[in-house]
Amino acid sequence: MHTPLWLWLAVLAFIIVMLAIDLVAHRKAHVIGVREAATWSAVWVTLGVGFGAIIWAVWGAEFGQQYFAGYLIEKSLAVDNVFVWAIIFAHFAVPAQFQHRVLFLGVLGALIFRGIFIAGGAVLIANFSWVLYIFAAFLLYTGFRMIRQRDEHLNPDQSKVLRAFRRFVPMTDTFHGQRLLVRKGGLIMATPLLAVLVLIETTDIIFAVDSIPAIFAVTDEVFLVFTANAFAILGLRAMYFLLADLIHRFVYLKIGLALILIWVGIKMMLKIDVFYIPTAISLAVITAVLTVSVVASLRATRGQERQGLPTPADPPFRVATAEEDAALDPLWRARSEASADEFEKS
């Protein structure tokens, strides 16, 4: 599959433009409702599927199927990301109107880190073909572990990254709007929103360790690996606001995701020296497993309504009052004024 430099630049430019449109559309902090989330989800899915249709039309059915297989893998594994985000936001009682800004920055970071991981994975595979055995074994291990631990959930208080952040970074105990940094008493401090962003970014890196090898099992084309990842990730924010209140209904989804990881692990292991499973079969298996797990979950929880995760009775952070926000020092002007004062004294 020949992908000229201009095509890479065009895709990157399109992603940047769409991120800018999303940022402008949500520049004011507000609670995103189900209708707005559904609209944006439809937009992102249409873009992802539309791009796959272009791949299919220009480069043929094989590459089109590889893209869609990778897109489905990333999209389905991303649902687990959404559930973890919901747990983090509920645990820290992050106000709903501030969550989109955190997720926007989290997705931006995810695109960057996954681009690095994809480039690194491609280099490893090109120079050390035996690394595919490690990827396959890791996928099998992760899949079986996910089945065994399907009822376990993240406990943010046990995060070593969060503990280290709170130990070494000065932090307020109040949310100050959508700000990540504030200046109080001449000292620049992180807000709890920055701590939450760090935790979300860390969890996405952990998820990427699973998802990147998984997509390399269905395609060796770096362009398809990156674009499938990008279009799946771009819709994560809207997916969160659409599904966060339905977590309790996807009771069998984790088993379905585990089976998908096991399947692609087997596919990767077989294609090295034994047998190449056609992409059409892989796409059909992934689609079938995902559909069955979702339908079975919804049938088993029929009649249950939307319900958010419970927040702690005594949350670790609170929202600052208007008086507390007004009492903050200007974040950047204070620094420039201090520099000017030091210059005058010298």
Side-chain angles (χ1 to χ4, degrees):
M1 180 180 181
H2 177 64
T3 51
L5 178 60
W6 68 263
L7 182 59
W8 278 95
L9 295 176
V11 170
L12 291 175
F14 178 77
I15 291 173
I16 292 172
V17 169
M18 291 306 301
L19 286 172
I21 292 173
D22 185 85
L23 183 61
V24 171
H26 299 93
R27 62 188 181 278
K28 294 183 179 179
H30 67 281
V31 178
I32 296 179
V34 174
R35 179 177 296 182
E36 182 180 356
T39 300
W40 276 100
S41 292
V43 169
W44 293 119
V45 170
T46 300
L47 290 174
V49 173
F51 185 81
I54 294 174
I55 295 293
W56 196 304
V58 175
W59 284 278
E62 175 61 24
F63 289 124
Q65 291 169 2
Q66 289 181 18
Y67 168 84
F68 280 114
Y71 179 77
L72 274 180
I73 289 173
E74 295 301 324
K75 202 71 172 177
S76 58
L77 291 176
V79 176
D80 216 17
N81 251 23
V82 167
F83 293 169
V84 170
W85 291 350
I87 292 173
I88 293 173
F89 284 143
H91 181 83
F92 294 111
V94 180
Q97 64 269 28
F98 303 151
Q99 293 175 6
H100 183 274
R101 178 61 56 85
V102 175
L103 295 182
F104 177 87
L105 295 173
V107 166
L108 185 60
L111 287 170
I112 295 172
F113 281 114
R114 293 196 182 209
I116 295 172
F117 290 163
I118 290 169
V123 170
L124 285 175
I125 292 172
N127 292 278
F128 309 100
S129 58
W130 50 264
V131 80
L132 291 174
Y133 289 106
I134 297 177
F135 284 176
F138 180 73
L139 290 171
L140 292 173
Y141 167 76
T142 303
F144 286 115
R145 185 189 62 185
M146 188 179 291
I147 293 176
R148 291 196 308 270
Q149 301 177 352
R150 61 185 179 276
D151 296 324
E152 297 181 12
H153 302 289
L154 170 75
N155 185 350
D157 284 334
Q158 296 179 354
S159 170
K160 294 180 180 179
V161 172
L162 184 61
R163 286 203 297 265
F165 181 89
R166 299 184 69 172
R167 179 179 179 183
F168 295 106
V169 179
M171 190 173 74
T172 68
D173 61 353
T174 52
F175 293 102
H176 292 273
Q178 299 188 91
R179 302 177 207 180
L180 302 178
L181 297 170
V182 295
R183 183 186 291 272
K184 298 179 69 173
L187 177 65
I188 293 180
M189 305 178 70
T191 69
L193 218 56
L194 181 57
V196 171
L197 174 60
V198 169
L199 185 56
I200 283 178
E201 203 65 67
T202 303
T203 57
D204 183 77
I205 290 174
I206 295 172
F207 278 112
V209 174
D210 297 337
S211 66
I212 298 304
I215 195 171
F216 271 114
V218 296
T219 179
D220 298 324
E221 296 292 335
V222 178
F223 182 73
L224 297 183
V225 173
F226 175 76
T227 51
N229 258 277
F231 282 104
I233 290 172
L234 284 172
L236 275 186
R237 297 178 308 286
M239 184 188 293
Y240 165 77
F241 291 107
L242 187 63
L243 299 180
D245 294 340
L246 295 173
I247 293 177
H248 59 288
R249 296 200 58 187
F250 291 92
V251 291
Y252 300 124
L253 182 60
K254 204 153 193 175
I255 295 177
L257 299 180
L259 293 177
I260 289 175
L261 288 178
I262 292 172
W263 167 256
V264 296
I266 293 173
K267 172 181 169 59
M268 178 175 280
M269 190 166 289
L270 290 177
K271 85 169 185 177
I272 300 172
D273 294 312
V274 182
F275 174 71
Y276 177 75
I277 300 175
T279 306
I281 295 178
S282 294
L283 182 59
V285 169
I286 294 168
T287 303
V289 171
L290 187 59
T291 302
V292 169
S293 62
V294 171
V295 172
S297 296
L298 296 179
R299 286 179 62 87
T301 58
R302 185 184 306 166
Q304 297 185 21
E305 299 181 353
R306 287 180 171 270
Q307 60 181 53
L309 292 177
T311 56
D314 185 22
F317 309 112
R318 62 180 177 82
V319 178
T321 63
E323 291 75 15
E324 289 174 320
D325 281 335
L328 293 174
D329 299 326
L331 184 59
W332 304 118
R333 188 177 64 183
R335 175 178 294 180
S336 62
E337 288 176 353
S339 300
D341 290 342
E342 292 177 2
F343 177 78
E344 291 176 358
K345 292 179 181 178
S346 62

